[in-house]
Amino acid sequence: MARSLLCRAFGVFRLSGTRFYSLTEPEPLTVRQQSNGIRRIILNNPKKRNALSLSMLESLRENILTDVDGDDLRVVIISARGPVFSSGHDLKELTSAQGREYHTKVIHTCAEVMTLIQDIPVPVIAMVDGVATAAGCQLVASCDIAVATEKSTFATPGVNVGLFCSTPAVAIGRAVPRKVAMEMLLTGSPISAHDALLHGLISKVVPEERLEEETLAIAQRVCQASRPVVALGKATFHRQMAQGRDAAYVTASKVMVDNLALRDGQEGIRAFIEKRKPVWSNKAEKAHD
């Protein structure tokens, strides 16, 4: 009797013999919520400083890709529970005991998630309230927009534990000036939210009590635009940024003409001329060839 009560108290039950099984499932590593076109993805492992373990990365990847082409998805917000946005890779997964093959899988999965953020057709916003280091800082740098609280800090401290932040440097080096990136990478010293804003790592710094409000305001503004126009613009921006000036103008010029051929492109122009709000179809349909 006493044993039965103890089992119930701890959420377990006996299936057969003396074997006991848990009635409670572990907390998910990420939580996905969606409403009114806005998908919230929350890193949900604060006890481990929201480390980007392989399991966390796989969960994040799934949350990003689920129905990513659905018309009702307009923007993604990535945030975290606890005082640390993300501490980067779980170093326990990167010991020699795990082996090169496992290490390769972790690093490649992380790179895949970071590129997915830029490749999906909807904008991704980082909502940061706390510390973002190493691959966690990479995650912030990979997002299209980043809003952070005044207390947030950003760092690439891998050099101090013998693992240079080479993959975080890909995203960070494309977000901040080269010498700023190199100082972060070579010293591991954190920078403040205001310095991160100054150097272009984040978009806006807000008081902690206004973080949610300010981030949602940006997301809601994105939702007011045409989905295919936003998707076209985001893809073109990232593509032309990787090109030289002349090639970038060729790319962007062609896309501008393609944009004008969209039904929503013409609707927006007509609405402006007629002094009314546009009525978007949110379909990638052409108004003309």
Side-chain angles (χ1 to χ4, degrees), residues 16-218:
S16 62
T18 58
R19 298 179 66 186
F20 289 81
Y21 297 83
S22 174
L23 285 173
T24 59
E25 295 182 359
E27 285 282 316
L29 293 174
T30 61
V31 175
R32 176 171 57 89
Q33 305 164 343
Q34 188 166 325
S35 177
N36 299 319
I38 301 171
R39 176 174 298 175
R40 304 283 301 269
I41 301 175
I42 304 165
L43 307 184
N44 190 42
N45 195 10
K47 290 182 180 179
K48 291 195 173 181
R49 297 166 60 88
N50 291 312
L52 297 179
S53 63
L54 180 58
S55 295
M56 173 76 89
L57 288 166
E58 289 173 340
S59 182
L60 183 56
R61 178 177 61 190
E62 180 183 354
N63 287 170
I64 291 170
L65 287 175
T66 299
D67 296 326
V68 72
D69 293 318
D71 292 342
D72 56 343
L73 176 62
R74 310 299 294 281
V75 63
V76 173
I77 298 173
I78 298 177
S79 61
R81 291 199 172 126
V84 178
F85 177 78
S86 176
S87 58
H89 289 298
D90 184 348
L91 295 182
K92 291 181 179 178
E93 291 189 338
L94 303 181
T95 64
S96 295
Q98 299 294 335
R100 186 180 184 89
E101 185 177 342
Y102 188 83
H103 296 166
T104 299
K105 186 175 183 181
V106 170
I107 300 301
H108 282 186
T109 302
C110 185
E112 180 187 354
V113 168
M114 302 302 166
T115 54
L116 270 176
I117 287 171
Q118 296 188 345
D119 290 347
I120 64 172
V122 298
V124 180
I125 305 172
M127 187 172 81
V128 185
D129 183 24
V131 178
T133 62
C137 189
Q138 179 186 5
L139 179 57
V140 175
S142 298
C143 290
D144 300 300
I145 300 169
V147 183
T149 57
E150 295 165 322
K151 71 178 183 180
S152 298
T153 59
F154 305 86
T156 51
V159 67
N160 297 324
V161 296
L163 181 63
F164 199 86
C165 287
S166 294
T167 45
V170 174
I172 295 165
R174 284 162 170 75
V176 307
R178 183 172 299 187
K179 287 181 172 59
V180 174
M182 286 303 289
E183 182 178 350
M184 291 178 68
L185 292 162
L186 293 169
T187 67
S189 299
I191 63 172
S192 68
H194 286 288
D195 281 345
L197 175 64
L198 175 67
H199 298 309
L201 181 60
I202 62 176
S203 316
K204 183 178 286 192
V205 178
V206 298
E208 185 176 356
E209 64 272 14
R210 288 178 52 201
L211 178 62
E212 184 110 356
E213 175 189 350
E214 293 282 349
T215 306
L216 285 174
I218 296 171

